[in-house]
Amino acid sequence: MSDDEMKEEKEPDLRSPDVVTKYKCAAEVANTTAHDHQYPELREWRELTLWIDCSCGEMALGPLKELLTFNGLSRLRVYALLSRTLLVCRDIGCHVDGFTAVVAHTHVLSEGPVTGCAADVLAAAHTAVEVALRLVRPGKKNKDVTEAIQKVASAYDCKIAEGVLSHQLKQLVIDTNKVILSVSNPETRVDDAEFEENEVYAIDIVTSTGDGKPKLLDEKQTTVYKRAVDKNYHLKMKASKFIRSEINSRFPLMPFTARALEEKRARLGLVECVNHELLQPYPVLHEKSARIKFTVLLMPNGSDKITGVPLQEYQQTKVPDDPEIKAWLGMGIKSNRKGGGKKKKGKK
């Protein structure tokens, strides 16, 4: 048996009840953090971010800490003003023993139901999520999802934001090479792939009323990074060496916030690490958009959406009348037979 075959044979997936439990434990923490806390009466971006981080930290002190390796991370992004309406996105990830669940949702800071173009962009994101949930299933292909979500956004006179990828998740890996492209164009290509049973996906949908091209306005707003394990460079600065050693020890594979590092040296050391591609930054991008992200398990009995936050009330002005979209929404997410669809290939 080759090394690749042995690795595939030993790779834990949803065939193990213990793995399913860990994904769902991580999802419970992410959902609770996202759902149980209302937005405080704060408007300054840094204050909001710190408040969210504190709420996730409190969850880490719960009963899971005694049993499993736990790590939570959350971010808050101010996306844009839509007709003087502020949209804020909370993006949360949590892993238990390296099995990660992520969730993101957009909240409109307004009293009463959301109306106007803000309501339409929320409705577009919600409908695209429901369609994607039904198409990310064994036997379907990643390009099927890409084409479908673009059609949904167009029905609401919106666009799917470019540069957003949905990834297959594995233990300690949140960005595998098996991805779903948000927008297909000549500049951005991914390999064709077919979904298989026992896989896990983080589905990320961003709908926009603008040009669909999120912009980086200020690099200093970036506070979340991930170690690039395939890069190497001999750092010159003492602060950079200190920070790199801390990152390698505390965050070898998963994303982290700069506020978790030794504060006085962090910013200076991070700059050199990023400049030489030792760290992958997660920049804060701005666009007139709404974002919804969820985690789905492709179980033998059908798709199991384990993360998600109920949307606030909105009054959309557009209702798509496309028969194909209606047909997608009419599809079930559970299998009628035990064993589901196409199984992930295994080795005897």
Side-chain angles (χ1 to χ4, degrees), residues 37-62:
H37 301 279
Q38 299 300 317
Y39 287 86
E41 290 302 316
L42 300 173
R43 290 294 180 269
E44 203 274 318
W45 183 82
R46 180 171 170 79
E47 288 184 45
L48 282 165
T49 307
L50 289 172
W51 180 82
I52 297 294
D53 282 348
C54 289
S55 71
C56 199
E58 291 169 4
M59 294 297 301
L61 299 178

Side-chain angles (χ1 to χ4, degrees), residues 178-249:
K178 198 168 184 179
V179 302
I180 303 168
L181 193 62
S182 57
V183 177
S184 56
N185 55 54
E187 291 76 29
T188 308
R189 295 181 179 276
V190 299
D191 293 336
D192 289 342
E194 186 174 316
F195 306 117
E196 299 181 32
E197 190 177 296
N198 296 314
E199 292 180 334
V200 182
Y201 286 88
I203 307 300
D204 198 353
I205 305 289
V206 180
T207 52
S208 168
T209 59
D211 60 8
K213 298 179 179 180
K215 299 173 180 62
L216 175 62
L217 301 183
D218 185 358
E219 291 184 358
K220 294 181 180 179
Q221 287 185 329
T222 302
T223 60
V224 177
Y225 303 87
K226 186 167 76 74
R227 178 173 169 247
V229 296
D230 58 336
K231 301 292 183 179
N232 196 17
Y233 176 78
H234 184 69
L235 295 167
K236 305 298 189 294
M237 297 173 55
K238 186 176 180 180
S240 304
K241 294 177 182 178
F242 176 85
I243 290 301
R244 186 184 185 186
S245 176
E246 184 179 3
I247 292 170
N248 291 348
S249 173

Side-chain angles (χ1 to χ4, degrees), residues 66-344:
E66 301 298 324
L67 302 174
L68 303 163
T69 303
F70 171 93
N71 185 38
L73 176 68
S74 63
R75 293 174 286 166
L76 198 71
R77 295 183 177 185
V78 179
Y79 270 113
L81 287 169
L82 291 177
S83 302
R84 297 185 178 181
T85 301
L86 185 64
L87 277 72
V88 182
C89 176
R90 183 188 291 179
D91 188 352
I92 296 172
C94 172
H95 79 82
V96 175
D97 284 352
F99 298 100
T100 304
V102 294
V103 61
H105 75 288
T106 298
H107 185 87
V108 179
L109 298 180
S110 65
E111 296 182 2
V114 182
T115 59
C117 60
D120 288 334
V121 79
L122 277 178
H126 175 67
T127 305
V129 161
E130 291 299 316
V131 168
L133 176 61
R134 286 155 175 79
L135 294 181
V136 178
R137 61 197 302 166
K140 292 289 186 179
K141 299 189 177 189
N142 53 355
K143 64 181 181 180
D144 298 333
V145 181
T146 301
E147 294 168 359
I149 62 175
Q150 289 184 73
K151 185 167 189 175
V152 170
S154 179
Y156 287 91
D157 290 335
C158 295
K159 293 182 178 179
I160 297 293
E162 297 180 8
V164 180
L165 297 177
S166 298
H167 290 270
Q168 181 189 6
L169 303 176
K170 294 185 178 181
Q171 186 181 26
L172 295 173
V173 183
I174 62 171
D175 48 6
T176 71
N177 291 329
K178 198 168 184 179
V179 302
I180 303 168
L181 193 62
S182 57
V183 177
S184 56
N185 55 54
E187 291 76 29
T188 308
R189 295 181 179 276
V190 299
D191 293 336
D192 289 342
E194 186 174 316
F195 306 117
E196 299 181 32
E197 190 177 296
N198 296 314
E199 292 180 334
V200 182
Y201 286 88
I203 307 300
D204 198 353
I205 305 289
V206 180
T207 52
S208 168
T209 59
D211 60 8
K213 298 179 179 180
K215 299 173 180 62
L216 175 62
L217 301 183
D218 185 358
E219 291 184 358
K220 294 181 180 179
Q221 287 185 329
T222 302
T223 60
V224 177
Y225 303 87
K226 186 167 76 74
R227 178 173 169 247
V229 296
D230 58 336
K231 301 292 183 179
N232 196 17
Y233 176 78
H234 184 69
L235 295 167
K236 305 298 189 294
M237 297 173 55
K238 186 176 180 180
S240 304
K241 294 177 182 178
F242 176 85
I243 290 301
R244 186 184 185 186
S245 176
E246 184 179 3
I247 292 170
N248 291 348
S249 173
R250 296 177 56 196
F251 313 106
L253 295 170
M254 306 300 286
F256 63 92
T257 173
R259 288 182 296 278
L261 302 174
E262 202 280 321
E263 193 166 340
K264 292 181 180 178
R265 306 188 193 186
R267 178 55 63 182
L268 190 61
L270 286 172
V271 171
E272 187 180 8
C273 291
V274 171
N275 287 343
H276 294 284
E277 300 182 342
L278 298 179
L279 294 178
Q280 174 189 340
Y282 287 73
V284 178
L285 303 177
H286 295 254
E287 172 63 330
K288 299 176 181 179
S289 59
R291 181 180 198 174
I292 302 178
K293 184 194 295 184
F294 66 93
T295 306
V296 60
L297 313 182
L298 302 190
M299 302 294 291
N301 64 342
S303 300
D304 190 355
K305 180 173 174 283
I306 60 173
T307 61
V309 177
L311 290 181
Q312 64 195 118
E313 186 180 355
Y314 60 85
Q315 298 174 352
Q316 65 199 69
T317 63
K318 299 178 177 64
V319 179
D321 195 30
D322 188 287
E324 191 171 22
I325 295 177
K326 291 182 178 180
W328 287 328
L329 294 173
M331 295 170 61
I333 60 174
K334 294 296 182 181
S335 173
N336 292 326
R337 64 182 183 85
K338 189 174 181 180
K342 185 173 181 179
K343 295 185 178 180
K344 190 172 183 178

